[in-house]
Amino acid sequence: MRSFKSSSRPAQVLLAITLLASCSGQGDAGADRSDEESKVKGYTMDQHSHARPEEAVITHLDLDITVDPAQRTIAGVAAYRIKGAEHGRIILDTDDIRVESVLDQAGSPLEFELGDSSFLGRPLEVELKATTSSIAIKYRTGRNAKALQWLSPQQTADKEHPFLFTQGQAILTRSWIPVQDSPGIRFTYDATVRVPEALMAVMSAINPQERSSDGVYHFKQERPIPAYLIALAVGDIVFKPVDDRTGVYAERSVVDKAAWEFADMGDMLRTAEDLYGPYRWGRYDVIVLPPSFPFGGMENPCLTFATPTILAGDRSLTALVAHELAHSWSGNLVTNATWNDFWLNEGFTVYFEGRISEAIYGPDYAGMLQQLGRQDLELTLAQIAKSKHPEDSRLRLDLAGRDPDDGMTDVAYEKGAAFLRLIESKVGRAKFDSFIRQYFDEFAFQSMTTDRFLSYLEAQLLAPNKVKLDLAEWVDGSGLPANAPTPVSDRFVKVDKEIKRWEEGAGPRDLATEEWSTFEWMHFLRHLPKELSEARLKELDRAFGFTKSGNAEVLAAWFEVCIRNDHDEAYDRLDDFLATVGRRKFLVPLYTEMTRTEKGRIMAQTIYKNARPNYHSVSVRTIDELLSWKDDHPPVNF
Ligand code: BES
Ligand code: ZN
């Protein structure tokens, strides 16, 4: 690697950006004066990227990489078409990446410099000539590339071949591709990916459905996307169609189950289009990953990445597919300009997911989904209120100086969706729907700030309909405003009645549970009395078989009850679950519950020591912090 003296410029740049961007935090609702201040040439300042797109910006990526599971590295060339070379330099983001050379379109070397390292990684500054139209960066990923999870055969379903997947959101793509890693910067991409012949590669692009004979795969993403949506998975993967526009990828032993579980994908897609306009990405497929995937789902364009923990065997958890599909509009088409505007991605998506679910599974189902979401939000708000960052309960975040991942909570999802439901209730569904559709059309393939959205909302929907709303309270206020609509669910009222009967002495088998769906069981488990005797727990488990459940949501909710009451009959299964499942949403409440007692803390440390090597870096970061984990083997860099 060429070594350069580190310059102090990145720190200054960061400071300047932080100061500038902080101007945009206080904009009064409906006006976009502050928005203008933080914008240069149409770009909103992003505190989480070193890029300066107002100088030089990437417009297209040609990626040519070799994936080596044995060495656990990706190496190759990221070549970019760029605009703005006359500014004399371009700055990209990297994290734990070794840059070997940078060449221009004629193959002549360009000077480059890697700046200081911080939680944002290291800026890569490349000197440009006025005539530079493209740059080709030869690089190799590091041992601890945060986006990548390399799995041994043992960590996969079929246990025969290694597996690799990437997770880009929020700022991890820079750890496997040197790139301008900001949600406000979009580009198209072509990729050539070379993998061992026994494996197949898929990306967030139009994908192959068959194996290639030589392990070389070509991809094209013709729509401009931000860097966090570039994704790659490599493994012994096969494809099975669901209908002519949708299908699933998974390991061989999983693909049939997945195709059955997601049979409604085609319907979901049509329903979404009927609501908010054409699907603009060609195909919509889902890949079911090994269980260490840290999220439920990730909306990578054309190909949602999903956890296998939604394969419940009864199609009861497929709202997650509706959610990730909805991101094809909210998030992937109209994208949060910075991570402070994250609610524009997730709040809209939860709202939209609810509408798809309502249309396909009915209002009862959607009502339960909303109630569960509200329960999550209330817990989150209570935790945030006593945390180091009580301001995280605002919709518009201020994540300057912090890893954006830390501010991405249920607030964006559920308070965001509640805000949209409130607006819907004020103007009526028909008007709200045509407003949203127009919003997606008008801002397609662009980024959106909170201020810009509020101005548009005011001008296009609220003012013409003479609706007055305290937008500032919703966007910059803490907690949940008093006018938030309250979700109702008759079916949960029935569950509450059965809980009461059980508390008053009815036997579990006498409860009217025959018709219950996963959501009712979740509500049941969440609302059992906090303290339960061993006899009561045994009785429940014998009647309903929770510890043996194949439904991850039910299992996780049950484990919380068991840990709280030290019901140790469930601990073998809990240990197993935490050793295989890396989905952060399950890990956080379970490890948190364990930290409440001395015995639990010791158990958490023991389980985690064994499970940690199976988790992706985003889960490791969270659980390390939760358990104040001291790593015996700190990461090895170059
Ligand atoms: N985009 C998110 C996942 C994400 C958020 C990744 C923040 C990195 C940072 C995805 O769309 C999502 O919200 N997934 C949820 C499922 C959903 C049904 C609420 C999840 O993973 O649980
Ligand atoms: Zn989402």
Side-chain angles (χ1 to χ4, degrees), residues 5 17 25 54 57 136 171 181 290 312 317 339 378 426 463 494 526 552 576 606:
K5 199 162 60 65
I17 289 173
E54 71 284 4
V57 68
I171 56 168
D181 192 4
L317 298 176
W339 298 117
E378 277 164 9
K426 297 281 180 199
K494 289 192 183 134
R526 288 176 177 196
D576 248 28
T606 316

Side-chain angles (χ1 to χ4, degrees), residues 2 145 167 220 242 266 307 456 510 623:
R2 294 171 60 173
Q167 166 59 39
K220 230 180 205 334
V242 169
T307 170
Y456 188 74
D510 299 328
I623 308 299

Side-chain angles (χ1 to χ4, degrees), residues 498 501 505-514 543-544:
E498 297 309 297
R501 287 185 53 221
R509 286 177 220 275
D510 299 328
L511 305 182
T513 62
E514 301 79 36
F544 303 127

